[in-house]
Amino acid sequence: MSAAFTDFLKEQMAGFGPVEVKRMFGGAGIYHDGLMFALVADDVLYLKTGDTTRADFEAEGLGPFIYEAKGKKMAMSYWQAPERCLEDPTAMAEWCRKAYAVALKAAKAKRKR
């Protein structure tokens, strides 16, 4: 993960709001108001996905972030962001809002348990 790429993402996400990038596991988590809603791995942006937004990602032909653990492939609830988000700050803000809403919902559900 390059610092130039994460700096670029911060600029592209400015229309959504301030974000903080925290390094983790060779990649980074992207946070808004202390809540992680995106991650970066190998200079690819992935956004938090849930039942309400998965179809949007599938319609774009996008897939989840997959990592290997103990010899098994594991898919996360973060799916690759549409390429146009990297070129269009308005699209980036829209997709970030959806991802953040999913992250908020997940955080509230986790607190209830």
Side-chain angles (χ1 to χ4, degrees), residues 62-113:
L62 302 167
F65 174 72
I66 297 174
Y67 68 97
E68 195 168 314
K70 298 180 184 177
K72 291 184 179 181
K73 292 191 178 195
M74 308 292 287
M76 292 184 71
S77 61
Y78 291 84
W79 286 44
Q80 186 173 349
E83 200 66 33
R84 70 178 173 282
C85 290
L86 301 178
E87 300 161 4
D88 180 357
T90 302
M92 178 69 87
E94 175 188 337
W95 283 80
C96 286
R97 278 191 290 277
K98 290 194 277 187
Y100 184 70
V102 170
L104 273 175
K105 184 177 177 182
K108 285 179 185 175
K110 191 174 185 179
R111 275 182 278 190
K112 284 184 180 179
R113 284 189 245 146

Side-chain angles (χ1 to χ4, degrees), residues 53-62 79 95:
T53 60
R54 190 169 293 107
D56 295 338
F57 289 86
E58 289 171 345
E60 298 273 342
L62 302 167
W79 286 44
W95 283 80

Side-chain angles (χ1 to χ4, degrees), residues 18-57:
V19 298
E20 182 180 5
V21 177
K22 296 181 182 180
R23 291 188 173 276
M24 55 183 248
F25 310 115
I30 300 179
Y31 295 76
H32 176 70
D33 286 339
L35 187 61
M36 186 171 150
F37 72 96
L39 67 84
V40 177
D42 297 322
D43 285 350
V44 177
L45 174 64
Y46 296 88
L47 299 170
K48 182 77 170 161
T49 308
D51 294 339
T52 58
T53 60
R54 190 169 293 107
D56 295 338
F57 289 86

